[in-house]
């Protein structure tokens, strides 16, 4: 236990802190979720590290990652976040009060850690968009997804009894699939809204500020409508799940589903399950790529993009993953061309050496991006193979070129046709 002052209200409190090199990640999932941990001292009590990722102020409820709490200066956005939190806390913000009062920081069970992650995300969203750490918000949403995944994995197989058999009902699957698709469309709508905002902002010098108030009011209305749509989408899902008692039954759960609903009524973007958390993580990783200078270099750009693709695949959104994978390759190639141009124009040898290092990193990232793109394309091919086989069967005696034209004319993309030829399927 160590004492630290709260970055928001300066109240000193005691917090649990791991000593350096106490443990390390063991087996990892593709989205960097540690399945196991390696403890360097077998005598230590092996607690679950993800529960202790955040520090929480019991006075003002300020919640942030342990490193940013202990060293507020380490994050560029720390001051704005702490300042806006304090103002909202003093004003009696209902979400801060609801979540903060629910957390038992002395006990810190799974449920408390989940509410702390909710609160940390909400606090990060309080500043204006340009003062938000989008990468941190995405990481927090991803950690919530991991918590939900771990909680589900801990449930005993067969929980739910008679209701479990209902999960095979085709009509229920159809509703679940439709609601899941609606949720995905809403999150993509958020991303497109952000693109509109960015485009309008970039165009402002050309058009002037004559209709600035109209644009601002329209975007505010669109944002409110999106919030309402997200809220109603969750209401639909929750209401439907109640007809299958086990879906929202707290028996066997480590947290209260009813409390999640209570939070959702105040804050529509609170992640109610793993998929909601993953979709929000995707959304904020995309924002980070667009705005965060820390991700401008080829290596961090590729790693973040590859993570987004992995999360899209976990959401069963293969088309979005395919589109993203194709764009990643093009983006890194463009970055490499810019580096080559700078190398040709630089005379200072030390500067040129630094650019050569960047070029090496870009080349390595292009290789990895191409491998990732091929892997995603292969998944698309597997999904579309019945239709591809039908088209090829209709042109069994055609030349390779004619088969390619037939595939393209039936909506198969150039990238897939190229990969089919590469794999000698055509």
């Amino acid at each position: 236990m160590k004492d630290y002052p709260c970055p928001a209200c300066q109240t000193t409190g005691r917090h649990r802190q791991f000593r350096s090199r106490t443990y390390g990640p063991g087996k990892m999932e593709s989205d960097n979720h540690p399945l196991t941990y390696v403890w360097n001292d077998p005598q230590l009590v092996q607690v679950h590290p993800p529960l202790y990722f955040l520090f929480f102020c019991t006075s003002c409820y300020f919640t942030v990652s342990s490193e940013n709490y202990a060293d507020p200066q380490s994050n560029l956005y720390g001051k704005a976040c702490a300042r806006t939190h304090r103002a909202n806390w003093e004003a009696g913000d209902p979400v801060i009060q609801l979540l903060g009062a629910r957390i038992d920081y002395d006990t810190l069970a799974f449920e408390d850690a989940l509410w702390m992650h909710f609160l940390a995300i909400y606090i990060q969203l309080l500043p204006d968009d340009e003062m938000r750490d989008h990468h941190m918000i995405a990481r927090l949403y991803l950690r919530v997804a991991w918590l939900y995944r771990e909680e589900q994995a801990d449930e005993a197989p067969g929980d739910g009894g008679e209701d479990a058999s209902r999960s095979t009902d085709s009509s229920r699957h159809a509703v679940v699939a439709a609601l899941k698709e609606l949720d995905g469309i809403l999150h993509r709508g958020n991303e497109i809204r952000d693109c509109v905002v960015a485009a309008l902002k970039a165009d402002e010098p050309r058009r002037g500020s004559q209709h600035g108030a109209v644009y601002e009011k329209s975007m505010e209305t669109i944002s409110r409508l999106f919030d309402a749509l997200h809220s109603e989408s969750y209401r639909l899902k929750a209401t439907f799940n109640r007809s299958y008692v086990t879906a929202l039954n707290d028996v066997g759960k480590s947290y209260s589903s009813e409390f999640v609903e209570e939070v959702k009524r105040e804050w529509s973007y609170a992640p109610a399950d793993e998929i909601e958390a993953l979709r929000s993580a995707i959304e904020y990783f995309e924002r980070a790529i667009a705005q965060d200078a820390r991700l401008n270099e080829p290596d961090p750009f590729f790693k973040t993009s590859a993570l987004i693709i992995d999360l899209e695949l976990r959401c069963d959104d293969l088309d979005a993953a395919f589109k993203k994978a194709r764009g990643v390759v093009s983006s890194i190639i463009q970055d490499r061309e810019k580096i080559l141009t700078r190398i040709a124009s630089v005379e200072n040898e030390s500067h040129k050496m630094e650019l050569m290092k960047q070029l090496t990193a870009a080349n390595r990232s292009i290789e990895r991006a191409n491998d990732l793109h091929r892997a995603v394309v292969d998944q698309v091919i597997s999904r579309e193979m019945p239709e591809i086989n039908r088209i090829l069967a209709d042109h069994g005696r055609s030349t390779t070129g004619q088969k390619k034209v037939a595939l393209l004319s039936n909506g198969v993309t150039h990238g897939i046709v190229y990969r089919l030829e590469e794999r000698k399927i055509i």
Side-chain angles (χ1 to χ4, degrees), residues 296-299 301-302 305 324-343 358-371 373-374 418:
N296 285 346
E297 297 299 324
D299 190 54
F301 170 78
F302 169 75
S305 299
K324 181 68 179 179
R326 185 174 52 195
V328 169
V329 176
S330 300
S331 182
I332 299 177
I333 289 174
Q334 291 175 10
D335 287 343
R336 181 178 64 178
E337 294 304 314
K338 291 177 184 177
I339 294 170
L340 286 169
T341 301
R342 290 168 63 192
I343 289 173
Q358 294 180 24
L359 180 62
T360 300
N363 287 332
R364 184 170 59 248
S365 294
I366 288 173
E367 290 179 11
R368 295 159 69 193
N370 278 320
D371 289 342
H373 180 249
R374 280 191 288 270
Y418 176 81

Short mmCIF file of all heavy atoms in Angstrom, two decimals, residues 296-299 301-302 305 324-343 358-371 373-374 418:
data_model
loop_
_atom_site.label_atom_id
_atom_site.label_comp_id
_atom_site.label_asym_id
_atom_site.label_seq_id
_atom_site.Cartn_x
_atom_site.Cartn_y
_atom_site.Cartn_z
N ASN A 296 1.73 8.14 -35.28
CA ASN A 296 2.07 8.53 -36.64
C ASN A 296 3.13 7.64 -37.27
O ASN A 296 3.15 7.44 -38.48
CB ASN A 296 2.55 9.99 -36.68
CG ASN A 296 1.39 10.97 -36.53
OD1 ASN A 296 0.23 10.60 -36.64
ND2 ASN A 296 1.72 12.22 -36.26
N GLU A 297 4.04 7.12 -36.46
CA GLU A 297 5.12 6.29 -36.99
C GLU A 297 4.57 4.95 -37.47
O GLU A 297 3.56 4.46 -36.95
CB GLU A 297 6.19 6.07 -35.93
CG GLU A 297 6.88 7.35 -35.46
CD GLU A 297 7.61 8.06 -36.59
OE1 GLU A 297 8.16 7.36 -37.48
OE2 GLU A 297 7.61 9.30 -36.61
N PRO A 298 5.23 4.32 -38.47
CA PRO A 298 4.71 3.08 -39.07
C PRO A 298 4.45 1.95 -38.07
O PRO A 298 3.43 1.27 -38.15
CB PRO A 298 5.79 2.68 -40.07
CG PRO A 298 6.44 3.97 -40.46
CD PRO A 298 6.42 4.81 -39.21
N ASP A 299 5.38 1.75 -37.11
CA ASP A 299 5.23 0.61 -36.21
C ASP A 299 4.03 0.76 -35.28
O ASP A 299 3.17 -0.13 -35.23
CB ASP A 299 6.51 0.40 -35.40
CG ASP A 299 6.49 -0.91 -34.63
OD1 ASP A 299 6.25 -1.97 -35.25
OD2 ASP A 299 6.70 -0.89 -33.40
N PHE A 301 1.49 2.68 -35.68
CA PHE A 301 0.30 2.74 -36.54
C PHE A 301 -0.13 1.33 -36.93
O PHE A 301 -1.32 0.98 -36.85
CB PHE A 301 0.59 3.55 -37.80
CG PHE A 301 -0.49 3.45 -38.85
CD1 PHE A 301 -1.67 4.18 -38.72
CD2 PHE A 301 -0.34 2.62 -39.95
CE1 PHE A 301 -2.68 4.06 -39.67
CE2 PHE A 301 -1.34 2.50 -40.90
CZ PHE A 301 -2.51 3.23 -40.76
N PHE A 302 0.84 0.49 -37.33
CA PHE A 302 0.49 -0.87 -37.74
C PHE A 302 -0.06 -1.68 -36.56
O PHE A 302 -1.07 -2.38 -36.69
CB PHE A 302 1.69 -1.60 -38.34
CG PHE A 302 1.43 -3.07 -38.53
CD1 PHE A 302 0.63 -3.51 -39.56
CD2 PHE A 302 1.94 -4.01 -37.63
CE1 PHE A 302 0.35 -4.86 -39.72
CE2 PHE A 302 1.66 -5.35 -37.77
CZ PHE A 302 0.86 -5.78 -38.83
N SER A 305 -3.57 -0.59 -35.80
CA SER A 305 -4.47 -1.00 -36.88
C SER A 305 -4.72 -2.50 -36.85
O SER A 305 -5.85 -2.96 -37.06
CB SER A 305 -3.88 -0.59 -38.24
OG SER A 305 -3.72 0.80 -38.34
N LYS A 324 -10.41 -2.41 -43.57
CA LYS A 324 -9.34 -1.83 -42.77
C LYS A 324 -7.98 -2.38 -43.17
O LYS A 324 -7.01 -1.63 -43.32
CB LYS A 324 -9.60 -2.12 -41.29
CG LYS A 324 -8.55 -1.55 -40.33
CD LYS A 324 -8.62 -0.05 -40.30
CE LYS A 324 -7.60 0.53 -39.35
NZ LYS A 324 -7.63 2.00 -39.32
N ALA A 325 -7.90 -3.70 -43.38
CA ALA A 325 -6.62 -4.33 -43.74
C ALA A 325 -6.10 -3.77 -45.06
O ALA A 325 -4.89 -3.53 -45.21
CB ALA A 325 -6.80 -5.84 -43.83
N ARG A 326 -7.00 -3.57 -46.01
CA ARG A 326 -6.59 -3.02 -47.30
C ARG A 326 -6.08 -1.59 -47.14
O ARG A 326 -5.08 -1.19 -47.75
CB ARG A 326 -7.80 -3.05 -48.25
CG ARG A 326 -7.52 -2.61 -49.67
CD ARG A 326 -8.75 -2.85 -50.53
NE ARG A 326 -9.93 -2.24 -49.93
CZ ARG A 326 -11.16 -2.52 -50.30
NH1 ARG A 326 -11.40 -3.43 -51.23
NH2 ARG A 326 -12.20 -1.91 -49.73
N GLY A 327 -6.74 -0.80 -46.29
CA GLY A 327 -6.33 0.58 -46.08
C GLY A 327 -5.01 0.71 -45.34
O GLY A 327 -4.24 1.64 -45.58
N VAL A 328 -4.73 -0.24 -44.44
CA VAL A 328 -3.47 -0.19 -43.67
C VAL A 328 -2.28 -0.32 -44.60
O VAL A 328 -1.29 0.43 -44.49
CB VAL A 328 -3.46 -1.31 -42.60
CG1 VAL A 328 -2.08 -1.44 -41.98
CG2 VAL A 328 -4.49 -1.01 -41.52
N VAL A 329 -2.33 -1.26 -45.54
CA VAL A 329 -1.23 -1.45 -46.48
C VAL A 329 -0.99 -0.18 -47.27
O VAL A 329 0.15 0.30 -47.39
CB VAL A 329 -1.52 -2.64 -47.43
CG1 VAL A 329 -0.41 -2.76 -48.47
CG2 VAL A 329 -1.64 -3.94 -46.65
N SER A 330 -2.07 0.41 -47.81
CA SER A 330 -1.94 1.63 -48.62
C SER A 330 -1.36 2.78 -47.80
O SER A 330 -0.51 3.53 -48.29
CB SER A 330 -3.31 2.03 -49.17
OG SER A 330 -3.85 1.02 -49.98
N SER A 331 -1.80 2.91 -46.56
CA SER A 331 -1.35 4.02 -45.72
C SER A 331 0.14 3.92 -45.41
O SER A 331 0.87 4.91 -45.49
CB SER A 331 -2.16 4.05 -44.43
OG SER A 331 -1.78 5.14 -43.62
N ILE A 332 0.61 2.72 -45.08
CA ILE A 332 2.03 2.55 -44.74
C ILE A 332 2.90 2.74 -45.98
O ILE A 332 4.00 3.31 -45.90
CB ILE A 332 2.29 1.18 -44.09
CG1 ILE A 332 1.49 1.05 -42.80
CG2 ILE A 332 3.77 1.01 -43.77
CD1 ILE A 332 1.61 -0.30 -42.12
N ILE A 333 2.42 2.31 -47.15
CA ILE A 333 3.17 2.53 -48.39
C ILE A 333 3.31 4.03 -48.64
O ILE A 333 4.39 4.51 -49.03
CB ILE A 333 2.47 1.83 -49.57
CG1 ILE A 333 2.64 0.31 -49.45
CG2 ILE A 333 3.03 2.31 -50.91
CD1 ILE A 333 1.88 -0.48 -50.48
N GLN A 334 2.24 4.78 -48.43
CA GLN A 334 2.31 6.24 -48.60
C GLN A 334 3.31 6.86 -47.63
O GLN A 334 4.09 7.76 -48.00
CB GLN A 334 0.93 6.85 -48.39
CG GLN A 334 -0.07 6.52 -49.48
CD GLN A 334 -1.47 7.04 -49.18
OE1 GLN A 334 -1.66 7.82 -48.24
NE2 GLN A 334 -2.45 6.61 -49.96
N ASP A 335 3.32 6.37 -46.37
CA ASP A 335 4.27 6.87 -45.38
C ASP A 335 5.70 6.57 -45.82
O ASP A 335 6.61 7.41 -45.65
CB ASP A 335 4.01 6.25 -44.01
CG ASP A 335 2.76 6.81 -43.36
OD1 ASP A 335 2.30 7.88 -43.80
OD2 ASP A 335 2.24 6.18 -42.41
N ARG A 336 5.91 5.38 -46.39
CA ARG A 336 7.27 5.02 -46.84
C ARG A 336 7.72 5.95 -47.97
O ARG A 336 8.88 6.37 -48.01
CB ARG A 336 7.31 3.57 -47.31
CG ARG A 336 8.70 3.13 -47.77
CD ARG A 336 8.74 1.68 -48.19
NE ARG A 336 7.90 1.42 -49.36
CZ ARG A 336 7.80 0.24 -49.95
NH1 ARG A 336 8.47 -0.80 -49.46
NH2 ARG A 336 7.03 0.08 -51.00
N GLU A 337 6.80 6.28 -48.88
CA GLU A 337 7.15 7.18 -49.97
C GLU A 337 7.55 8.56 -49.44
O GLU A 337 8.49 9.19 -49.94
CB GLU A 337 5.97 7.31 -50.94
CG GLU A 337 5.63 6.04 -51.70
CD GLU A 337 6.82 5.49 -52.46
OE1 GLU A 337 7.52 6.27 -53.14
OE2 GLU A 337 7.08 4.26 -52.36
N LYS A 338 6.86 9.02 -48.41
CA LYS A 338 7.20 10.32 -47.81
C LYS A 338 8.58 10.26 -47.18
O LYS A 338 9.36 11.22 -47.27
CB LYS A 338 6.15 10.70 -46.76
CG LYS A 338 4.79 11.03 -47.34
CD LYS A 338 3.79 11.33 -46.23
CE LYS A 338 2.39 11.58 -46.79
NZ LYS A 338 1.39 11.79 -45.70
N ILE A 339 8.90 9.15 -46.51
CA ILE A 339 10.22 8.99 -45.89
C ILE A 339 11.31 9.00 -46.95
O ILE A 339 12.37 9.64 -46.81
CB ILE A 339 10.28 7.70 -45.05
CG1 ILE A 339 9.32 7.80 -43.85
CG2 ILE A 339 11.70 7.44 -44.54
CD1 ILE A 339 9.13 6.49 -43.11
N LEU A 340 11.07 8.28 -48.07
CA LEU A 340 12.06 8.23 -49.16
C LEU A 340 12.29 9.63 -49.74
O LEU A 340 13.44 10.00 -50.05
CB LEU A 340 11.57 7.28 -50.25
CG LEU A 340 11.66 5.79 -49.93
CD1 LEU A 340 10.90 4.96 -50.97
CD2 LEU A 340 13.12 5.33 -49.86
N THR A 341 11.21 10.40 -49.87
CA THR A 341 11.35 11.77 -50.38
C THR A 341 12.18 12.63 -49.44
O THR A 341 13.04 13.41 -49.88
CB THR A 341 9.95 12.41 -50.56
OG1 THR A 341 9.18 11.61 -51.46
CG2 THR A 341 10.07 13.82 -51.10
N ARG A 342 11.96 12.47 -48.15
CA ARG A 342 12.73 13.25 -47.17
C ARG A 342 14.19 12.83 -47.16
O ARG A 342 15.09 13.67 -47.04
CB ARG A 342 12.11 13.06 -45.78
CG ARG A 342 10.75 13.74 -45.63
CD ARG A 342 10.05 13.31 -44.36
NE ARG A 342 10.79 13.68 -43.18
CZ ARG A 342 10.53 13.23 -41.95
NH1 ARG A 342 9.53 12.36 -41.77
NH2 ARG A 342 11.24 13.63 -40.92
N ILE A 343 14.45 11.53 -47.31
CA ILE A 343 15.84 11.05 -47.35
C ILE A 343 16.58 11.68 -48.52
O ILE A 343 17.75 12.09 -48.40
CB ILE A 343 15.88 9.51 -47.45
CG1 ILE A 343 15.43 8.89 -46.11
CG2 ILE A 343 17.28 9.02 -47.82
CD1 ILE A 343 15.28 7.37 -46.16
N GLN A 358 13.62 4.88 -39.75
CA GLN A 358 12.18 4.94 -39.99
C GLN A 358 11.80 4.15 -41.24
O GLN A 358 10.76 3.48 -41.29
CB GLN A 358 11.73 6.40 -40.13
CG GLN A 358 11.86 7.23 -38.86
CD GLN A 358 11.40 8.66 -39.07
OE1 GLN A 358 10.59 8.95 -39.95
NE2 GLN A 358 11.92 9.56 -38.25
N LEU A 359 12.66 4.22 -42.27
CA LEU A 359 12.40 3.48 -43.51
C LEU A 359 12.42 1.98 -43.25
O LEU A 359 11.57 1.23 -43.75
CB LEU A 359 13.44 3.84 -44.57
CG LEU A 359 13.31 3.15 -45.92
CD1 LEU A 359 11.98 3.51 -46.59
CD2 LEU A 359 14.48 3.52 -46.83
N THR A 360 13.38 1.53 -42.45
CA THR A 360 13.46 0.10 -42.11
C THR A 360 12.20 -0.34 -41.37
O THR A 360 11.63 -1.41 -41.64
CB THR A 360 14.70 -0.17 -41.23
OG1 THR A 360 15.87 0.21 -41.95
CG2 THR A 360 14.79 -1.64 -40.86
N ALA A 361 11.76 0.50 -40.43
CA ALA A 361 10.53 0.18 -39.68
C ALA A 361 9.33 0.15 -40.61
O ALA A 361 8.45 -0.71 -40.48
CB ALA A 361 10.32 1.21 -38.56
N ALA A 362 9.27 1.09 -41.58
CA ALA A 362 8.16 1.12 -42.52
C ALA A 362 8.15 -0.13 -43.39
O ALA A 362 7.08 -0.72 -43.63
CB ALA A 362 8.24 2.37 -43.39
N ASN A 363 9.33 -0.55 -43.87
CA ASN A 363 9.41 -1.77 -44.69
C ASN A 363 8.94 -3.00 -43.91
O ASN A 363 8.23 -3.86 -44.44
CB ASN A 363 10.83 -1.98 -45.18
CG ASN A 363 11.23 -0.98 -46.27
OD1 ASN A 363 10.36 -0.50 -47.01
ND2 ASN A 363 12.50 -0.65 -46.37
N ARG A 364 9.35 -3.05 -42.65
CA ARG A 364 8.94 -4.18 -41.80
C ARG A 364 7.42 -4.15 -41.58
O ARG A 364 6.75 -5.20 -41.63
CB ARG A 364 9.67 -4.11 -40.46
CG ARG A 364 9.39 -5.30 -39.53
CD ARG A 364 10.32 -5.30 -38.33
NE ARG A 364 10.21 -4.09 -37.55
CZ ARG A 364 11.18 -3.17 -37.46
NH1 ARG A 364 12.33 -3.33 -38.10
NH2 ARG A 364 11.02 -2.07 -36.71
N SER A 365 6.88 -2.96 -41.37
CA SER A 365 5.43 -2.83 -41.16
C SER A 365 4.65 -3.20 -42.42
O SER A 365 3.57 -3.79 -42.34
CB SER A 365 5.08 -1.41 -40.73
OG SER A 365 5.62 -1.12 -39.45
N ILE A 366 5.19 -2.87 -43.60
CA ILE A 366 4.52 -3.22 -44.85
C ILE A 366 4.45 -4.73 -45.01
O ILE A 366 3.41 -5.29 -45.41
CB ILE A 366 5.23 -2.57 -46.05
CG1 ILE A 366 4.96 -1.06 -46.06
CG2 ILE A 366 4.78 -3.20 -47.36
CD1 ILE A 366 5.74 -0.30 -47.10
N GLU A 367 5.54 -5.41 -44.68
CA GLU A 367 5.55 -6.88 -44.76
C GLU A 367 4.48 -7.47 -43.84
O GLU A 367 3.71 -8.35 -44.23
CB GLU A 367 6.92 -7.43 -44.38
CG GLU A 367 8.01 -7.14 -45.41
CD GLU A 367 9.36 -7.69 -44.95
OE1 GLU A 367 9.40 -8.45 -43.96
OE2 GLU A 367 10.38 -7.35 -45.59
N ARG A 368 4.43 -6.97 -42.61
CA ARG A 368 3.44 -7.49 -41.65
C ARG A 368 2.02 -7.13 -42.07
O ARG A 368 1.09 -7.93 -41.92
CB ARG A 368 3.75 -6.92 -40.27
CG ARG A 368 5.10 -7.40 -39.71
CD ARG A 368 5.63 -6.49 -38.62
NE ARG A 368 4.84 -6.55 -37.40
CZ ARG A 368 4.95 -5.67 -36.41
NH1 ARG A 368 5.81 -4.66 -36.52
NH2 ARG A 368 4.23 -5.80 -35.32
N ALA A 369 1.85 -5.92 -42.63
CA ALA A 369 0.52 -5.50 -43.09
C ALA A 369 0.05 -6.36 -44.25
O ALA A 369 -1.13 -6.72 -44.33
CB ALA A 369 0.55 -4.02 -43.48
N ASN A 370 0.97 -6.70 -45.16
CA ASN A 370 0.61 -7.56 -46.29
C ASN A 370 0.22 -8.96 -45.81
O ASN A 370 -0.74 -9.56 -46.32
CB ASN A 370 1.77 -7.66 -47.28
CG ASN A 370 1.82 -6.48 -48.24
OD1 ASN A 370 0.78 -6.01 -48.70
ND2 ASN A 370 3.01 -5.98 -48.52
N ASP A 371 0.95 -9.47 -44.82
CA ASP A 371 0.61 -10.79 -44.26
C ASP A 371 -0.78 -10.75 -43.62
O ASP A 371 -1.58 -11.67 -43.79
CB ASP A 371 1.64 -11.20 -43.21
CG ASP A 371 2.99 -11.57 -43.83
OD1 ASP A 371 3.03 -11.83 -45.05
OD2 ASP A 371 3.99 -11.58 -43.08
N HIS A 373 -3.19 -8.62 -44.31
CA HIS A 373 -4.19 -8.45 -45.37
C HIS A 373 -4.52 -9.79 -46.03
O HIS A 373 -5.70 -10.11 -46.25
CB HIS A 373 -3.67 -7.45 -46.41
CG HIS A 373 -4.62 -7.20 -47.53
ND1 HIS A 373 -4.39 -7.62 -48.82
CD2 HIS A 373 -5.84 -6.58 -47.55
CE1 HIS A 373 -5.40 -7.26 -49.59
NE2 HIS A 373 -6.29 -6.63 -48.84
N ARG A 374 -3.50 -10.58 -46.33
CA ARG A 374 -3.74 -11.88 -46.95
C ARG A 374 -4.57 -12.79 -46.03
O ARG A 374 -5.45 -13.51 -46.49
CB ARG A 374 -2.41 -12.56 -47.30
CG ARG A 374 -1.77 -12.04 -48.58
CD ARG A 374 -0.62 -12.93 -49.01
NE ARG A 374 0.53 -12.74 -48.13
CZ ARG A 374 1.50 -11.86 -48.32
NH1 ARG A 374 1.44 -11.04 -49.38
NH2 ARG A 374 2.51 -11.75 -47.48
N TYR A 418 -7.28 -11.26 -57.07
CA TYR A 418 -5.83 -11.40 -57.09
C TYR A 418 -5.38 -12.53 -56.16
O TYR A 418 -4.51 -13.34 -56.52
CB TYR A 418 -5.18 -10.08 -56.67
CG TYR A 418 -3.68 -10.16 -56.56
CD1 TYR A 418 -2.86 -10.06 -57.68
CD2 TYR A 418 -3.06 -10.35 -55.30
CE1 TYR A 418 -1.48 -10.14 -57.58
CE2 TYR A 418 -1.68 -10.43 -55.19
CZ TYR A 418 -0.89 -10.33 -56.33
OH TYR A 418 0.47 -10.42 -56.23
#
